[in-house]
Amino acid sequence: MRRWKVTVVGAGVAGLATALEFSERGFVVEVIERGRALGDGACSWMAGGMLAPWCERAMTDEAVLTMGAPSIDWWARRFPGTTHNGSLVLALPRDATELARFAERTRNYQWLDEAGIGALEPDLAGRFRRALFFPQEAHIDPRRALPALADLLKRQKVAIRFGVDMQAIAREADLIVDCRGLAARDVLPDLRGVRGEMVVIRSREVSLSRPVRLLHPRIPLYIVPRGGGVFMIGATTIESETRGGASVRSTVELLNAAYALHPAFGEAEILELGADLRPAFPDNLPAVRRTSRSLHVNGLYRHGYLLGPAMARQAAEMALEMELERPDADLREWRSA
Amino acid sequence: MSFYGVELSSRLLLGTARYPSPKVLVDAIKASEAQVVTVSLRREAGSERSGQGFWSIIRSLGVRVLPNTAGCHTAKEAVTTAHMARELFDTPWIKLEVIRDDETLQPDVFGLVEAAKVLNEDGFEVFPYTTEDLSVADRLVEAGCRVLMPWGAPIGSARGLNNAYGLKAMRAHFPDIPLVVDAGLGVPSHAAAAMELGYDAVLLNTAVAEAGDPVAMAKAFALAIEAGRMAFAARPLEPRDMAAPSTPVFGMAALGG
């Protein structure tokens, strides 16, 4: 049987993970991307890259945990830079109740005392009395992980064509898998943008081995170490579709979180301020939707790296069924219908 | 109950921030049968008005929108935000919030009165978020406010009615002004207590949005508010110092003698 030709539209984390899952199942895959280079215009370029399904469970649906937990292995098998050091959740003493609330809503953690925190993160020794440690969680640097996926695709003879618009899409494709994120709202009208802002800093004084979340009743934030003294601080979640740079207020909140974690961050250098819109469906959960000749992988919201693999797998399984259901001859008609 | 001539059957006003998802928000609003929802303009809307996904979801509910000036620190900022809100939501209603300090989120009553004057003169229908201070309340009414919204406790603190005596005094002092307890409630019994004091309505956000099951909690609050209102209308007993037996003592066999 001739295998289907599949065009994946979009080279963000959803598109690249989808292209891999399709290619691994024997589809003939190509990726087209509107941007000029990897990460260009992709909100996954701005992401934290935390693979933290148990932490996320404290704030969101059980489905995020169920779908997200296997992604830690998915990344570890495909990206050697996957760091498996767990994650740490802290609160300032006056927000101590937030820590208990967080713990109550999830599982797979250990309570740490001051000594336990110091043993894991020596630079935080003596600064916090209690913490939650999620030993099974991991993190990746999106700006190294996306190129790694692109390399894997290259080795599997999957081309990524940059600077190509959806309109110019190859006619000979049997299936289009639309992974455009927010740009797909022309066909997915219930998609909305949720603004997020982030800061990248470099500190010569503080070092961390794992992502640290700082709970706060209004502004929960996290700091992810990127190696070489570089840290990403993220991220705001604002129900706004305003484009444009990070606001002063958000920047102050993000930097305050770092400063509260360790005052030496006050001496850090600001490398980057960023803002983008995350694509989300009304339930804030991702979905694979089917329209006449396309699959749409979208709505990954705050969980591109955590849930991208599960969505990619789901789309690939759906495509396998569609391929079996519809013999080659029918397809031409189906496409022109 | 009516606010500025608008008749409402639900005595619950619901905030729209910090729900797990817009879908949960929509389900919570439906479960609570709230007819008024508050929206924060400053933080959420930004400057572009086109294609605001979140707003179109709220608009689709057909509920009345009460925009607020959350995040404003001066009267001037609040007035500017109110004008933006009137344009965006096409309503004269504005929940006026002027905050002095982001840590305590206490109303800045000086800025509040100042902004209330300006907005009332500009034709707004102002819902001021205030404390239970009677002098401040007097000034707000003098400025033209026909609804007052004293706090139960600091925003998001879930402590309930911190000063039930003060709230009661306010009710007695302003028998004809609709009074809404706004902020600081945690559980439905807090809302019932406010309604039992004779308050006209309750405004909630965090207690519902951050509950484990926001939809069920929204419904629970709605029931408590209804119960509290019904109890108030049924004229509850005042506490007494002595036990008052519900069966008469007279006629019992006299012992001793």
Side-chain angles (χ1 to χ4, degrees):
Chain A
M1 189 182 95
R2 181 185 73 79
R3 292 306 304 268
W4 271 12
K5 286 183 180 163
V6 176
T7 300
V8 174
V9 189
V13 67
L16 296 186
T18 298
L20 264 181
E21 286 288 330
F22 273 70
S23 170
E24 287 168 8
R25 281 169 180 75
F27 288 102
V28 182
V29 183
E30 67 160 356
V31 181
I32 63 166
E33 162 59 47
R34 186 173 60 175
R36 300 268 154 215
L38 206 59
D40 211 4
C43 67
S44 39
W45 200 246
M46 312 300 272
M50 289 186 296
L51 304 173
W54 291 278
C55 281
E56 290 301 318
R57 178 62 189 99
M59 297 171 287
T60 179
D61 207 271
E62 180 73 16
V64 172
L65 171 54
T66 318
M67 291 189 289
S71 74
I72 296 174
D73 264 357
W74 192 95
W75 283 105
R77 272 187 281 118
R78 287 168 182 80
F79 174 50
T82 306
T83 309
H84 217 134
N85 279 351
S87 41
L88 204 59
V89 182
L90 301 164
L92 297 174
R94 58 160 201 196
D95 300 326
T97 55
E98 299 293 321
L99 212 50
R101 250 169 63 86
F102 194 90
E104 194 181 283
R105 291 174 182 208
T106 187
R107 51 194 186 269
N108 244 353
Y109 55 80
Q110 300 159 9
W111 279 103
L112 297 183
D113 59 8
E114 216 172 299
I117 298 167
L120 278 181
E121 295 290 357
D123 280 358
L124 299 182
R127 297 197 46 76
F128 295 88
R129 281 193 277 281
R130 293 190 90 194
L132 295 167
F133 177 49
F134 292 79
Q136 294 177 37
E137 297 188 336
H139 68 281
I140 53 181
D141 178 350
R143 295 179 186 186
R144 289 170 52 227
L146 286 187
L149 292 192
D151 276 350
L152 275 179
L153 286 170
K154 201 169 166 187
R155 267 184 265 153
Q156 298 183 18
K157 310 280 182 241
V158 175
I160 306 177
R161 289 158 56 205
F162 290 100
V164 179
D165 211 274
M166 177 88 172
Q167 319 309 332
I169 205 158
R171 294 242 170 233
E172 63 270 21
D174 295 299
L175 179 72
I176 292 161
V177 189
D178 173 4
C179 302
R180 286 177 296 156
L182 201 55
R185 66 194 309 177
D186 54 348
V187 286
L188 304 170
D190 58 342
L191 209 56
R192 74 185 197 288
V194 181
R195 187 175 157 88
E197 293 146 303
M198 54 86 101
V199 184
V200 181
I201 60 171
R202 178 162 44 218
S203 164
R204 297 181 198 289
E205 294 166 72
V206 187
S207 79
L208 297 173
S209 304
R210 53 187 59 72
V212 176
R213 288 175 192 245
L214 193 62
L215 300 184
H216 182 281
R218 274 169 294 127
I219 350 174
L221 296 167
Y222 57 80
I223 299 182
V224 192
R226 290 276 164 86
V230 176
F231 297 85
M232 182 268 199
I233 314 169
T236 55
T237 301
I238 304 173
E239 287 290 351
S240 163
E241 293 178 353
T242 306
R243 295 270 178 191
S247 74
V248 169
R249 172 169 161 174
S250 294
T251 308
V252 167
E253 285 170 359
L254 292 163
L255 295 177
N256 263 345
Y259 190 75
L261 192 66
H262 201 299
F265 275 128
E267 306 304 315
E269 174 190 0
I270 295 174
L271 300 180
E272 182 184 344
L273 288 174
D276 212 332
L277 302 182
R278 313 168 176 99
F281 288 124
D283 59 1
N284 286 349
L285 293 173
V288 181
R289 292 192 190 163
R290 186 175 165 172
T291 57
S292 60
R293 65 177 296 214
S294 308
L295 289 176
H296 303 271
V297 178
N298 218 316
L300 283 147
Y301 184 47
R302 294 174 52 243
H303 304 120
Y305 292 84
L306 184 62
L307 302 183
M311 288 296 107
R313 201 158 44 235
Q314 197 178 317
E317 299 290 340
M318 282 167 81
L320 278 181
E321 279 176 32
M322 290 161 75
E323 194 186 35
L324 283 174
E325 271 168 30
R326 293 188 179 268
D328 229 29
D330 287 359
L331 266 170
R332 309 283 159 206
E333 273 175 51
W334 175 45
R335 268 201 342 253
S336 56
Chain B
M1 176 192 62
S2 78
F3 295 141
Y4 292 101
V6 174
E7 285 293 332
L8 297 164
S9 55
S10 164
R11 294 174 179 274
L12 171 56
L13 292 75
L14 208 53
T16 55
R18 303 167 72 191
Y19 289 78
S21 70
K23 183 180 183 300
V24 174
L25 163 64
V26 165
D27 292 346
I29 292 171
K30 286 181 182 160
S32 72
E33 293 176 37
Q35 294 167 310
V36 178
V37 298
T38 64
V39 296
S40 163
L41 196 71
R42 196 80 198 260
R43 185 62 173 158
E44 308 289 353
S47 52
E48 284 166 27
R49 302 283 177 251
S50 58
Q52 292 281 348
F54 186 69
W55 300 131
S56 54
I57 291 170
I58 290 178
R59 280 213 190 86
S60 71
L61 290 167
V63 291
R64 196 168 279 272
V65 170
L66 172 58
N68 69 35
T69 63
C72 292
H73 291 77
T74 63
K76 188 162 175 275
E77 276 176 84
V79 168
T80 309
T81 305
H83 278 275
M84 281 163 57
R86 181 157 72 179
E87 216 173 283
L88 184 59
F89 293 104
D90 197 26
T91 172
W93 283 13
I94 188 78
K95 177 186 161 186
L96 182 60
E97 248 184 85
V98 184
I99 298 301
R100 175 71 177 173
D101 180 278
D102 271 338
E103 286 301 307
T104 65
L105 295 178
Q106 290 199 11
D108 174 0
V109 295
F110 298 92
L112 186 69
V113 171
E114 191 186 330
K117 275 184 197 156
V118 177
L119 291 173
N120 278 301
E121 277 167 25
D122 278 349
F124 282 91
E125 294 171 352
V126 181
F127 296 61
Y129 167 60
T130 182
T131 67
E132 69 278 23
D133 188 290
L134 296 178
S135 313
V136 173
D138 251 337
R139 297 268 184 185
L140 289 168
V141 171
E142 209 173 80
C145 298
R146 290 296 171 264
V147 175
L148 294 173
M149 304 215 292
W151 61 358
I155 294 174
S157 67
R159 303 188 68 87
L161 307 183
N162 250 356
N163 181 1
Y165 160 75
L167 291 170
K168 205 171 168 180
M170 195 168 190
R171 178 72 285 178
H173 201 74
F174 298 99
D176 302 322
I177 301 265
L179 296 181
V180 182
V181 167
D182 174 5
L185 304 191
V187 288
S189 57
H190 295 153
M195 298 309 292
E196 286 164 15
L197 292 179
Y199 273 67
D200 293 277
V202 162
L203 195 159
L204 297 165
N205 190 347
T206 315
V208 169
E210 297 202 343
D213 180 346
V215 180
M217 192 58 87
K219 178 79 184 164
F221 266 103
L223 292 170
I225 287 165
E226 205 182 320
R229 180 66 192 179
M230 205 180 273
F232 170 73
R235 280 168 283 128
L237 293 182
E238 286 299 314
R240 296 187 178 107
D241 290 338
M242 297 293 289
S246 48
T247 46
V249 182
F250 180 79
M252 270 177 73
L255 302 173

